[in-house]
Amino acid sequence: MHRHILVDVRDASVTLGGRTIWANVNATVAAGEFVAILGPNGVGKSTLLKAILGLLPLAAGTIARDADAGEHAIGYLPQRRSFDASLRVRGLDLVRLGLDGDRWGVPVPGRRSRANTQRVRDLVDLVGAGAYAHRPIGQLSGGEQQRLLIAQALARHPRLLMLDEPLDSLDLPNQASIAALIGRICRTEGVAVIMVAHDVNPILPYLDKVIYLGQGGAVSGTPARVITTETLSALYGIPIEVLTTSDGRLVVIGQPEAPAHHTDRHEHGPAAPAPGPEERDAVPSADAGAR
């Protein structure tokens, strides 16, 4: 079945500070697809997401987005920042900001206000946050906050949802539940998802396609085609080994990190967490499947 193309990346390159971050990237994202952007630290995963959003200029090539989707066709969730514990804004209010956060003043009662209130309720139900959406956002757990932020990004019925490491800093149970939520939204709502991921394993069961970045290039395709010893060895130009653990997790061995003078993640924020299993440049131990 032919799917409508929402994003078309052709021979794209980005240069920052006189240095090429990646080049000759080709990929497409179709309606309803779940696509992950993968690769080692500093290779430019978030940079690609920002380039697709139009926030960074290309040095070469093109990135075309569906012109018929309208101005609110993209929902965007940037890299996670923790909320102050004293913040009194309710989860419901946070979700509503996705609808009318660009308008000044208190919402005026009327048809629009009632419709927005119902939309917020529907979104809270969609992400399974009904039990705590009335509580202050600063008092919620990381997983609960992330569910409400995803609801906010979905507020205006986007056709494309762009998520920058939404599983970052979450524990393993919350990673699994948020990954399942995103996969369900992609399928039931027909929303295409482009997600930067530090570890592919939590989202692997839900993925249609991956864009795997390496130094100077990228490979795009199904996870089974891309995340292989042969494909990644060709991408990096050095021997790479991909192992599958007994529980189905993928471990990539020998993958180089990008030069230290470029940090794509949390550039002016907190230090990055330890890399996930597919980004470790060492032979894994017997429990390599666990983070």
Side-chain angles (χ1 to χ4, degrees):
M1 181 179 65
H2 175 73
R3 290 180 172 179
H4 183 66
I5 300 298
L6 297 181
V7 177
D8 190 358
V9 182
R10 297 196 180 189
D11 300 319
S13 303
V14 161
T15 300
L16 297 176
R19 176 174 170 266
T20 298
I21 306 304
W22 35 256
N24 304 314
V25 174
N26 290 275
T28 60
V29 179
E33 282 188 332
F34 192 162
V35 180
I37 301 175
L38 306 172
N41 285 345
V43 77
K45 299 187 294 291
S46 295
T47 299
L48 177 55
L49 199 72
K50 291 172 183 175
I52 293 173
L53 283 165
L55 300 178
L56 288 176
L58 295 178
T62 61
I63 297 180
R65 296 200 311 265
D66 180 24
D68 300 325
E71 63 175 329
H72 301 307
I74 296 177
Y76 173 50
L77 182 58
Q79 287 177 356
R80 186 171 177 270
R81 296 291 185 268
S82 60
F83 291 97
D84 191 291
S86 64
L87 185 63
R88 303 302 298 174
V89 175
R90 299 179 306 164
L92 284 170
D93 302 322
L94 185 75
V95 176
R96 182 154 188 147
L97 286 173
L99 286 170
D100 50 26
D102 56 349
R103 299 188 181 93
W104 289 97
V106 178
V108 177
R111 181 179 300 175
R112 179 189 292 272
S113 180
R114 289 192 298 272
N116 283 354
T117 298
Q118 185 59 53
R119 176 63 178 158
V120 169
R121 289 172 180 163
D122 291 344
L123 287 166
V124 167
D125 289 342
L126 177 66
V127 300
Y132 47 82
H134 289 82
R135 293 170 54 194
I137 192 71
Q139 296 180 9
L140 302 181
S141 71
E144 290 168 345
Q145 291 175 359
Q146 202 69 327
R147 285 176 179 270
L148 290 163
L149 288 168
I150 291 170
Q152 184 192 67
L154 290 167
R156 297 191 181 186
H157 300 279
R159 296 177 62 188
L160 176 62
L161 184 61
M162 304 187 70
L163 309 171
D164 198 347
E165 301 220 28
L167 308 184
D168 192 28
S169 301
L170 300 181
D171 59 23
L172 288 176
N174 272 311
Q175 286 184 24
S177 64
I178 295 298
L181 170 65
I182 296 169
R184 177 168 57 83
I185 288 170
C186 184
R187 298 292 178 258
T188 62
E189 302 296 304
V191 178
V193 175
I194 304 177
M195 174 177 163
V196 173
H198 197 58
D199 179 0
V200 70
N201 288 295
I203 57 175
L204 189 59
Y206 314 106
L207 288 177
D208 296 300
K209 189 183 297 181
V210 300
I211 303 169
Y212 216 111
L213 292 175
Q215 289 303 303
V219 180
S220 175
T222 64
R225 187 183 75 83
V226 172
I227 310 177
T228 68
T229 295
E230 295 74 19
T231 299
L232 295 187
S233 295
L235 175 64
Y236 288 101
I238 59 174
I240 304 290
E241 187 173 4
V242 178
L243 303 178
T244 302
T245 65
S246 60
D247 60 355
R249 295 172 64 83
L250 296 177
V251 182
V252 177
I253 304 170
Q255 182 172 254
E257 295 292 327
H261 59 264
H262 170 65
T263 54
D264 181 60
R265 302 179 67 253
H266 307 298
E267 185 170 355
H268 300 292
E278 83 285 8
E279 298 190 356
R280 294 178 182 142
D281 188 18
V283 176
S285 60
D287 60 348
R291 286 187 68 184

